[in-house]
Amino acid sequence: MKRFLFPLLIFTHCAWANPFETQLSNGLRVIVREDPRAPTVVQMVWYRAGAMDEKDGYSGVAHALEHLMFKGTKRLAAGEFNKRVAEAGGRDNAFTSLDYTAYFQIVPKAALPEMMALEADRMANLTLTEKEFSSEIKVVMEERRLRTDDNAQSLVYEALHSTMFQAHPYRRPIIGWMDDLVNMTWKDARTWYRDWYAPNNAYVVIVGDVDHSQIFKWAEKNFGRIPARSLPVRKPQNEPAQKGVKRVNVKAPAKLPYLTMAWKVPKLKDVERDTEPYALEVLAAVLDGNDAARLSKNLVRGSRIAQSAGAGYDATVRGEATFLLDGQPAEGRSITELEAALQAEIKRIQDGGVTEEELTRVKTQIMASQVYKRDSMMAQAMEMGRFEAAGFHWRDLDRMLVKLREVTTTDVQSVAKKYFNDDTLTVATLDPQPLDPQPLDKVATKNPTIAPRH
Amino acid sequence: MRKIVFFIGWLTTLAHAGVKIDHWVAPSGARVYFVETHALPILDVAIDFTAGTAYDPMGKAGLAGLTRGLLDAGAGALDEETIAEQLVNLGAQLSGTTDHDRAGLSLRTLATTREKEAALILLRTVLSQPNFPDSVLTREKARMIAALQESDTRPDAIAAKRFSQEIYPNHPYGRTTTVASMGSLTRDDLLTFHRTRYRANRAVVALIGDVTRAEAERIAQFLTESLPTGEANDDLPPVQMPVKHTVNIAHPAAQSHIHIGMPAISRLDPDYYALLVGNYTLGGGGFVSRLVSEVREKRGYAYSVYSYFSPRRFEGPFQIGLQTKREQAAEAIKLVESVLTDFVKTGPTAKELAAAQKNLINGQSLRIDSNAKLLGYLSAIGFYGLPLTYLDDFPAKIKAVTVDQVRAAFVRQVKPEHRVTVVVATDE
């Protein structure tokens, strides 16, 4: 196997790719990556407030506020934000995760000053009214019905998280429980905004055909006057050690069963000193990181036990890290057989490790994707933004890549041995229910947190 | 979680200016479209054929998708595992698409000589010498059938499929894969489809990246010279317009899934620009469109509501879509119908037209800011026979559209007597 030679240094350290950073006196950090390849620019504003910062009874408020951020400020009427972006020829959107909430615009570069003014305006001047809230919360409920209540696999995923975590806030769904949405008020959203939308709890990431020193001036002009505020205390809410396997089953309309298995594993805390998170990243990639990876090769194409099979691990999270395996059994095979087959794949690595060839393959993919990523300004902004959201510094992204390249087959085998035991495992399954063409009874439709019944 | 998915349809993404496109016909007969750019050490190649689902033979729905999907399941002397491993070892990415009109593969590779050459050899092999091994075929048919049965339980999939059947009665655009049609496919079917449809003189090759014109010429010929030379008829029967009707389908979902529309225009229709600009105001422009404003912003009826034209080689659909709590579905449909009727009658206001034009014209640079995006435009220009100046001409074409043209185009293409409504999960 020829070792893949890749000119990493050229792409991570050439002049135009080097990000620049400043911090305003109110605590807002501004990160700029100059990329002059096209006359466009991405602006992202990230707030370190996500669903994990919510309290019981208020689930979904981070996401609801994200919707309301488009509903007008002291200067702008509701909907005007979208109009300005659209007329500039741009696109905008926002997303809420467990760890953060982020807003972005992709615009021709001439429109950037206006976009910065718009984001600064809604960081400080959002007008929240009962009228706008009561209409928008209905939209959020429709979103929940669409993404979760009528989606069998989403229900399983929701059940998995609420089962595997008892103390940690990752147990709550980002979109919120339907009952919490029904009982949310415009004042809850306002409290959330006042608590978390402060410059010292945010950072701006800009990638595009820009001059960083000019951006820093615009940032000072637009965001500089927004005062810093003290933030609510964040309790760690660490999950106590799990002592025994947990199982949960969901019944919902579907044809194929679905299985998810999640183990509690360490996350990345120290970029330089940690080794296990990198080994877990490589393990996930050996299982499901490319077209030659083990799960598809062995279970879908080989033994044909699975219709689909996957693995996932994210080392860079604010909360608890999990290692996920999931899949659908092939026609005529059972959830039990699939679970045993997935366990057997882990066992094979515990017993026999992974090959040098597999390891090289994973590293090749990582390096190639670093080059391909340069074709998308959004991908570059996302990478820095997500890494920062987990509490790291963008400067360490390159170090993380170096550390990933240092992972050995022994490292991978040892994390497989150490972390995949049943005592920290949670299994959530879908028991597919045949479609009943009769309309639901009224109770079920009025309270859609209950999966449709038959 | 995203606030909204963008519903600016395919129509609004095809535009740009100031990019030099080279075009030639390779000795193989393939038409080639090339943009040279050395900013990144990568190469993207896409090869498309007139081999979409509309060319599935009667009773063999699913053949086009399966043929394209199994090109890399064994080719030449290589089995599927070897192909997958070699691509991964090179850091290359191979992907495929099949739509109603076309099917093809695209490759992204590093432009370093060793990686690039090896990846191109693999692409040539899977395009020219697929084996469609019986064992893989059996497995993949079973997986497709399982996926089909699964999608037949999902309200969104049921609605999309039924809408397609209802607006294209007796036309290949309305045919959908069934368990029986998938089950009937044989290795000979795939071999024949490949031999007749993946032929050099109908291939459209799009290339962008870190290679010279001379090298691009060599690559295009290398990729297409050993393609089959079979014959096939690319014509389709004429589209018959449906008669206005509504189909209600029972389903236990909390939300009704609603599709409203009809066949509309081909990709080369002269109404293209007027409809593109007009639809931005109706339901293509996201939050600034009338549908989102009325259905979502004012009443909170839906998370997603949109309209789009999806032009094809022949009359592609005009479609409005939304999902809403089933108890309010009838009300939401009434509202959407009134927004549509009103728009067709009066067209956009002068202010709305100007806003649409501003977005489409000012957004030009966003459509050309990556190799991946440009590759898509090159393929579309080649496949649909658009002028090479299409991208440069785009802003002027948008600017020239008037309110009267929009109104006239909508009156011509969106006739109430052909309007089909499909509702899945309804109490009606």
Side-chain angles (χ1 to χ4, degrees), chain A residues 1-7 11 16 37-40 63 66-68 70-71 79 82-83 85-97 104 106-109 132 135-136 138-139 141-143 145-147 149-150 153 174-175 253-257 290-292 297 300-302 304 306-308 328 331 357 361 364-365 368-369 371-377 435-440 442 445-446 448 452-454, chain B residues 1-6 8 12-13 37 39-42 44 72 80-81 84-85 87-94 108-110 112 114-115 135-136 138-140 142-144 146-147 149-150 152-155 158 250-257 280 285 287-288 296-304 323-328 351 354-355 358-373 377 426-427:
Chain A
M1 177 74 204
K2 185 170 168 185
R3 185 151 185 95
F4 184 77
L5 292 174
F6 178 74
F11 302 111
W16 58 261
R37 208 158 63 89
T40 55
H63 171 251
E66 175 220 309
H67 278 232
L68 294 165
F70 294 85
K71 292 297 192 176
N82 295 119
K83 232 174 250 173
V85 177
E87 293 205 351
R91 300 168 192 184
D92 67 325
N93 213 326
F95 45 91
T96 307
S97 87
F104 69 88
I106 309 172
V107 291
K109 67 175 182 178
E132 292 292 351
S135 152
E136 196 61 25
K138 289 183 196 155
V139 173
M141 290 185 217
E142 293 294 347
E143 185 177 354
R145 290 181 188 106
L146 182 68
R147 292 185 189 276
D149 295 329
D150 284 345
Q153 291 198 0
I174 296 166
I175 192 137
K255 175 68 167 55
L256 293 170
N290 57 66
D291 287 344
K297 182 183 175 183
V300 178
R301 300 195 296 268
R304 306 187 180 190
Q307 166 82 6
S308 66
Q328 299 164 302
E331 179 69 35
E357 192 182 17
R361 214 172 263 159
T364 302
Q365 291 292 298
S369 70
V371 184
Y372 299 148
K373 187 194 67 196
R374 301 283 170 185
D375 194 37
S376 163
M377 289 190 291
L435 279 192
D436 180 343
Q438 297 308 308
L440 282 180
K442 292 296 175 194
T445 53
K446 271 183 190 157
R453 291 194 248 148
H454 303 280
Chain B
M1 198 155 298
R2 280 170 188 272
K3 181 160 191 273
I4 191 172
V5 178
F6 272 90
I8 301 169
T12 58
T13 61
T37 164
L40 297 174
I42 63 176
D44 286 278
D72 62 352
E80 61 176 338
E81 299 305 337
E85 283 168 15
L87 282 165
V88 173
N89 291 348
L90 295 165
Q93 298 173 345
L94 181 68
R108 169 165 273 198
T109 174
L110 300 169
T112 38
R114 187 184 80 88
E115 282 74 23
S135 154
V136 177
T138 305
R139 182 192 75 211
E140 290 306 311
R143 287 184 69 215
M144 296 294 286
Q149 290 171 331
E150 174 67 24
D152 281 346
T153 68
R154 293 199 341 252
I158 296 169
H251 189 284
Q255 280 184 321
S256 300
H257 287 245
Y280 180 90
F287 283 95
V288 297
R296 174 171 162 153
E297 300 297 278
K298 286 192 188 153
R299 294 173 184 80
Y301 278 174
Y303 171 66
S304 129
Q323 309 85 28
T324 190
K325 187 162 72 165
R326 61 192 296 151
E327 296 88 335
Q328 67 201 14
K351 213 174 142 194
K358 265 189 175 175
N359 174 269
L360 294 168
I361 293 167
N362 290 340
Q364 189 79 336
S365 58
L366 262 63
R367 305 184 179 97
I368 60 164
D369 64 1
S370 78
N371 293 10
K373 290 179 191 174
Y377 305 142
T426 170
D427 300 321

Side-chain angles (χ1 to χ4, degrees), chain A residues 6-19:
Chain A
F6 178 74
L8 179 70
L9 294 180
I10 292 176
F11 302 111
T12 49
H13 295 300
C14 68
W16 58 261
N18 257 334

Side-chain angles (χ1 to χ4, degrees), chain A residues 144 148-149 152-164 170-178 250 428 449:
Chain A
R144 190 189 150 89
T148 307
D149 295 329
Q153 291 198 0
S154 294
L155 289 171
V156 173
Y157 203 67
E158 192 170 87
L160 175 76
H161 281 88
S162 60
T163 304
M164 77 182 297
Y170 277 5
R171 71 184 186 281
R172 288 186 299 258
I174 296 166
I175 192 137
W177 301 113
M178 185 61 95
V250 175
T449 55

